[in-house]
Amino acid sequence: MQQLSLPLNLPNADIDQITWFQKILTFLGINRGAAWCDQFGLSLRYRLNQQSHSPIKTLSLFSGGGGLDIAFHDAGFDIVQMVELEPKYIQTLEKNSQTGQWLENSQPICIDIRKFFPSPDLKVDFIIGGPPCQSFSAAGRRAAGVAGTKDTRGTLFQEYVRLLKTLQPKGFLFENVYGITGAQKGEDWQEIQNAFKQAGYTIHFRLLDAADYGVPQHRERLFIVGVKTGNYLFPYPTHGPDSPGKEPFYTAKEAVTGVDKSHTEPGLTGRYGHLLTDIPPGLNYSFYTTEMGHPHPVFSWRSKFSDFLYKADPHSPVRTIKAQGGQYTGPFSWENRRFTIAELKRLQTIPDAYEIVGNDQACIQQIGNSVPPQLGRILALSILDQIMGVALPFPMQYMSPNKQLGFRQRKRQLTKIYAQKSSEAIALLYIKNKSSNIQIITGKEVRFLSSDFGWSKNKSDHSIKINLTYELNTSCWMITAQTSDILTEENKFVLDVFPTLGNENWVIETDKVKLCANELNPHLFTALWKAFEEKILDITGMADLVQLSGYYQYNPRFHGVMTFSPGLQINLFWLVVQCVVRGIGVANQLSAQNLSLLWGVKTENIFSYLQSLRSMGYEVRNHHTNPQIPQGEYLIPYIFPTLTPRTVQLRKNLG
């Protein structure tokens, strides 16, 4: 382990004129700069080791990659055991627990916490850790509510409580996403509070932003500190507008300065990779929306997660680093590339010398799941001072319980800043005249629709050949589809698509769209929507039908009407499809009984109809596909089919 040779006396300084955090930095001999947090941790550990207080034996639960363990170890806590389920995370903990490494003398244990029963000889003073947070996360809310403690991951806090009851430490620190307080309309939060109280602890909790504590990342998390006796107050922010000295935030550019970038790969690949270049730093995919003023919108407002194509601003902390994400999940560098693992460690304040084991994906998971050590260090010092009774060689300043922090309000104010950035960036772009995009386009094409709803120019196994005829002009887009090679004039059904009344975001330079087929065939129905979507992308750049319509929780930007050829014999299912195209029973969670009333069919047939809709490419959700949806309710998000080979819902079933 790297050692520092530092004088024990305070440097000469007029400390009465500086804030409490500046006094700590002065005492530790630390100056702000790249990787200053690493030196903060090393110096803090060295200084506290000079004090002769009894070891504070600490048990770490849900240790992950070791973020909290780094923090508490640096603050003089003795991490005796680290309990973690994932073997790939254990490899990181083992690597860094060896002699001379950051967590030396700690003992990683690879075990499911539900099977962890500590030895009767184990005595601990403190417990740290937070269980997996996915069941309380933003992703859960977006999928139709939050599963909370109804999810098996959400009940892991009960194991935490079990160990509190068994070991009876003086206190504990519990970290989780803020969604935990709102899960199941607050019922889960009340259950969690009661469980800690029954274990014998008074709890104190706050939502904190890591950027307020010297982390170059805005990361909001709920922290709960429980105490057996006495009181606890959270420390004041060390950085940002709420800090006593108004210390500027630690910026992303400051943090990554000096990192080796010799192995970086420029740009992004894939369908949307090229879009990153024009996005101003600090913005995301929303730059390419009508609401931001883009002349050729690609996406619909709030149709993606906020980290989709998110480019970091070098002069601010980055947004939250995610543990998991797709190909376009940011933050991405302002240099229009992915951040390296070394840079992500800096942005999370994980020490350069701390080795994270695994491939890039495994490393990103461990980084994104960690509590940023610099935030953890400040909390650990406050616990050392107030709960453990250790006299610190520097002051700490604490907030009253009713002190309001301003990071949520500042977050809301960013919308205006982003809009201005977007406007300035668009003014610099070469903007084509939209009316020149299309005058009259006619032609014939062949496409193939595969069983997994792939849409291609090339034939594949189990694909169906679709013959298409296009006639696109400024008054109407007409697309006709048939499976036969012999052109047939008569249409068996027509889908008329119109912009919603008063909608100003209909980016297609035409008054309406007509999708026609010469036979009542489910494959042709799906193919027509696919063909329409393809032309939208080719002509306008709009990514897909979802972007054209808007995210389903908002009012749709277009509506549809399905009509059949007079005299055509149709079964009840096609009447259900007709209702769905009109938006009847769509974009709301509804029971089978409600759907039967809306569609005019028998309740006992609803499940069969929903299965048939899925076979046509419609996304249909229920409790089996999305546990957040109550039993017996169903959700069809859109009036058109949205399933593709890449769609997660394609690999799920309705039960």
Side-chain angles (χ1 to χ4, degrees):
M1 188 67 230
Q2 180 181 357
Q3 296 293 324
L4 293 181
S5 178
L6 298 172
L8 292 180
N9 60 308
L10 273 169
N12 290 327
D14 185 7
I15 61 174
D16 292 334
Q17 302 301 314
I18 58 179
T19 67
W20 67 279
F21 184 67
Q22 290 172 325
K23 293 176 184 179
I24 296 177
L25 294 182
T26 301
F27 179 78
L28 297 178
I30 303 300
N31 293 314
R32 177 167 174 157
W36 69 267
C37 299
D38 296 14
Q39 295 304 311
F40 184 98
L42 286 169
S43 181
L44 181 65
R45 188 187 314 172
Y46 176 85
R47 293 289 189 158
L48 292 177
N49 282 343
Q50 307 304 309
Q51 296 185 222
S52 56
H53 62 76
S54 301
I56 301 171
K57 296 190 177 299
T58 304
L59 174 65
S60 170
L61 304 176
F62 311 103
S63 301
L68 268 180
D69 305 281
I70 293 169
F72 276 75
H73 193 256
D74 288 351
F77 288 71
D78 184 11
I79 312 295
V80 292
Q81 291 182 347
M82 298 181 289
V83 178
E84 172 54 45
L85 173 64
E86 289 287 344
K88 57 187 175 184
Y89 299 170
I90 284 289
Q91 292 178 38
T92 292
L93 299 176
E94 289 176 342
K95 181 73 175 180
N96 292 282
S97 298
Q98 297 173 7
T99 302
Q101 300 302 313
W102 209 277
L103 298 176
E104 58 182 345
N105 300 323
S106 299
Q107 180 190 4
I109 300 175
C110 187
I111 191 173
D112 187 325
I113 193 172
R114 288 167 287 204
K115 299 178 182 178
F116 175 66
F117 295 91
S119 165
D121 298 330
L122 180 65
K123 307 295 180 184
V124 298
D125 304 298
F126 205 75
I127 292 180
I128 60 175
C133 62
Q134 290 90 337
S135 57
F136 301 109
S137 68
R141 294 193 296 278
R142 190 179 177 90
V146 176
T149 58
K150 304 300 184 286
D151 187 320
T152 55
R153 294 170 299 185
T155 59
L156 290 175
F157 88 93
Q158 295 169 353
E159 300 300 322
Y160 197 115
V161 173
R162 171 179 64 83
L163 291 168
L164 285 173
K165 291 178 178 178
T166 300
L167 297 170
Q168 292 292 304
K170 292 181 181 179
F172 67 89
L173 181 140
F174 180 100
E175 176 266 352
N176 217 293
V177 294
Y178 68 84
I180 196 173
T181 61
Q184 303 297 326
K185 300 180 180 179
E187 295 176 6
D188 289 351
W189 176 227
Q190 191 60 51
E191 179 185 345
I192 290 169
Q193 292 183 76
N194 291 338
F196 285 136
K197 182 178 180 180
Q198 291 169 9
Y201 293 87
T202 301
I203 66 169
H204 308 269
F205 55 90
R206 257 191 186 274
L207 180 63
L208 301 177
D209 181 5
D212 283 350
Y213 293 88
V215 179
Q217 177 189 166
H218 289 295
R219 185 184 186 91
E220 298 175 17
R221 291 293 185 269
L222 179 74
F223 288 88
I224 303 172
V225 174
V227 294
K228 274 283 186 185
T229 59
N231 194 21
Y232 175 80
L233 297 173
F234 283 88
Y236 253 96
T238 61
H239 292 69
D242 288 325
S243 65
K246 305 295 186 288
E247 176 75 15
F249 286 128
Y250 185 29
T251 68
K253 185 176 181 180
E254 285 180 283
V256 302
T257 296
V259 171
D260 180 13
K261 297 185 289 186
S262 58
H263 298 294
T264 57
E265 297 182 4
L268 292 182
T269 59
R271 180 179 178 183
Y272 304 124
H274 67 285
L275 298 177
L276 183 66
T277 301
D278 286 337
I279 295 176
L283 273 68
N284 56 12
Y285 78 94
S286 64
F287 173 68
Y288 290 98
T289 64
T290 300
E291 287 75 4
M292 280 293 187
H294 201 283
H296 303 295
V298 179
F299 303 105
S300 178
W301 185 250
R302 293 180 178 171
S303 62
K304 303 285 186 183
F305 282 110
S306 62
D307 49 20
F308 191 89
L309 287 176
Y310 160 58
K311 184 192 291 185
D313 185 339
H315 306 299
S316 304
V318 301
R319 295 182 191 173
T320 304
I321 297 171
K322 299 295 194 298
Q324 293 179 319
Q327 182 178 5
Y328 304 107
T329 300
F332 297 106
S333 170
W334 47 91
E335 296 178 352
N336 299 314
R337 59 173 175 80
R338 298 183 187 279
F339 281 117
T340 65
I341 298 301
E343 287 174 319
L344 291 174
K345 286 171 63 179
R346 287 276 187 94
L347 295 172
Q348 193 81 346
T349 67
I350 294 174
D352 288 351
Y354 190 86
E355 185 174 343
I356 301 179
V357 180
N359 59 24
D360 282 0
Q361 183 180 7
C363 289
I364 291 171
Q365 284 182 3
Q366 293 175 73
I367 293 169
N369 278 328
S370 293
V371 175
Q374 186 57 29
L375 167 58
R377 291 180 185 114
I378 301 301
L379 292 174
L381 287 173
S382 70
I383 290 164
L384 202 63
D385 179 31
Q386 299 178 80
I387 300 176
M388 297 303 159
V390 174
L392 298 178
F394 40 70
M396 295 284 288
Q397 190 168 348
Y398 301 110
M399 297 182 286
S400 65
N402 59 356
K403 170 66 178 176
Q404 297 294 313
L405 297 177
F407 56 85
R408 276 296 179 86
Q409 183 179 358
R410 292 192 294 273
K411 187 175 180 180
R412 289 191 290 269
Q413 293 170 347
L414 285 175
T415 302
K416 293 182 179 179
I417 298 174
Y418 292 154
Q420 180 62 32
K421 278 190 173 185
S422 179
S423 176
E424 293 171 356
I426 288 170
L428 298 175
L429 294 176
Y430 175 73
I431 302 175
K432 296 180 179 179
N433 188 329
K434 288 175 65 174
S435 64
S436 66
N437 285 347
I438 175 172
Q439 295 298 324
I440 299 177
I441 297 176
T442 61
K444 297 180 180 180
E445 294 177 349
V446 173
R447 294 291 184 268
F448 293 91
L449 177 68
S450 61
S451 57
D452 60 357
F453 308 107
W455 183 249
S456 174
K457 296 179 181 180
N458 302 315
K459 184 178 181 179
S460 61
D461 292 341
H462 310 296
S463 65
I464 296 170
K465 181 181 177 182
I466 307 293
N467 294 295
L468 299 166
T469 302
Y470 296 95
E471 184 175 335
L472 315 181
N473 56 56
T474 54
S475 62
C476 179
W477 282 16
M478 180 175 288
I479 304 174
T480 303
Q482 61 182 55
T483 55
S484 171
D485 291 331
I486 301 174
L487 183 63
T488 304
E489 295 293 335
E490 182 183 6
N491 293 320
K492 298 300 183 184
F493 73 87
V494 176
L495 299 167
D496 287 291
V497 180
F498 305 92
T500 302
L501 186 64
N503 174 35
E504 298 177 353
N505 296 324
W506 176 256
V507 299
I508 307 175
E509 288 295 304
T510 190
D511 296 330
K512 61 182 179 179
V513 177
K514 294 184 78 70
L515 309 177
C516 313
N518 69 341
E519 58 181 302
L520 192 58
N521 181 319
H523 300 303
L524 287 179
F525 177 90
T526 306
L528 282 168
W529 287 109
K530 294 281 186 180
F532 177 30
E533 187 171 63
E534 181 182 17
K535 287 305 176 188
I536 291 172
L537 174 61
D538 290 346
I539 294 171
T540 73
M542 182 70 75
D544 51 40
L545 284 171
V546 171
Q547 310 310 319
L548 182 67
S549 175
Y551 186 51
Y552 77 88
Q553 291 185 347
Y554 302 97
N555 291 330
R557 292 174 176 167
F558 66 78
H559 65 277
V561 176
M562 184 177 189
T563 56
F564 303 99
S565 174
L568 181 67
Q569 295 295 315
I570 56 175
N571 60 35
L572 286 177
F573 171 66
W574 281 107
L575 295 180
V576 168
V577 175
Q578 187 180 46
C579 288
V580 171
V581 171
R582 291 182 64 90
I584 300 172
V586 174
N588 289 292
Q589 290 177 201
L590 298 168
S591 67
Q593 291 81 1
N594 286 335
L595 288 173
S596 70
L597 290 173
L598 289 170
W599 294 343
V601 295
K602 294 181 179 179
T603 301
E604 56 265 32
N605 293 333
I606 290 295
F607 189 78
S608 173
Y609 292 148
L610 292 172
Q611 291 277 38
S612 295
L613 286 170
R614 278 179 65 91
S615 71
M616 294 169 65
Y618 275 95
E619 182 179 336
V620 182
R621 304 179 190 177
N622 69 353
H623 186 73
H624 291 281
T625 66
N626 296 71
Q628 298 86 353
I629 296 176
Q631 291 273 11
E633 293 188 0
Y634 301 91
L635 170 65
I636 305 169
Y638 302 100
I639 68 170
F640 45 84
T642 57
L643 294 181
T644 72
R646 301 183 303 276
T647 309
V648 173
Q649 290 287 335
L650 183 65
R651 295 181 287 278
K652 299 181 179 181
N653 60 71
L654 294 176

